[in-house]
Amino acid sequence: MSQARISLTEVLALLDVPAIRQRFGVVETDLPILQRWLIGAGARWGLNAEHRVRLGLPRAMEQNTWRFALRRMLLGYAMGQGADFAGIEPYTEVAGLEAALLGPLVLLLDELDVFAERLSHSYS
């Protein structure tokens, strides 16, 4: 995992595993909604800019990372339609009670971040 890109396809495959869905409180019928949001918000690969640096890429490449997509979704939920805020264009498809799905997604990505960080170090 230390060299894993943590792509959209990989995360969606993790969410296809019933035990992982259960751990994070996601049901199978939530998957199409999450997939639509993630594609629309621009999640492609890499947890954040720091994760991409650990993979040998230049700093400041946060676009299309998970953090980038989550910020867009959260901002869209909070602001709705509107101009960008701090250089972030809101993704406005996240609304209503379905927005609660962001919580489990954030928890999953936080766990992946912890494991990616741990596996980026050498251990004896």
Side-chain angles (χ1 to χ4, degrees):
M1 182 173 219
S2 67
Q3 294 299 310
R5 292 175 52 145
I6 308 178
S7 70
L8 175 62
T9 305
E10 292 167 335
V11 172
L12 291 175
L14 283 175
L15 287 170
D16 268 338
V17 178
I20 292 175
R21 280 199 313 273
Q22 181 180 6
R23 162 67 177 84
F24 291 98
V26 175
V27 295
E28 190 171 4
T29 56
D30 295 334
L31 296 180
I33 297 165
L34 286 171
Q35 182 175 9
R36 185 179 74 240
W37 288 353
L38 292 168
I39 291 170
R44 298 299 179 262
W45 68 275
L47 292 168
N48 49 43
E50 296 82 24
H51 177 234
R52 286 183 171 181
V53 167
R54 290 194 305 259
L55 294 175
L57 295 171
R59 187 162 295 285
M61 288 191 61
E62 184 130 302
Q63 188 162 349
N64 298 111
T65 64
W66 290 98
R67 181 181 293 164
F68 167 85
L70 286 172
R71 284 180 178 162
R72 289 194 64 210
M73 288 187 279
L74 291 169
L75 188 61
Y77 176 71
M79 289 181 48
Q81 294 282 30
D84 70 334
F85 177 80
I88 302 170
E89 181 183 345
Y91 178 72
T92 59
E93 297 298 315
V94 179
L97 296 176
E98 289 179 339
L101 290 174
L102 288 179
L105 181 62
V106 169
L107 291 175
L108 171 63
L109 294 171
D110 284 348
E111 290 289 325
L112 290 175
D113 193 20
V114 167
F115 285 115
E117 172 62 25
R118 285 182 187 166
L119 292 172
S120 69
H121 301 288
S122 297
Y123 297 95
S124 59

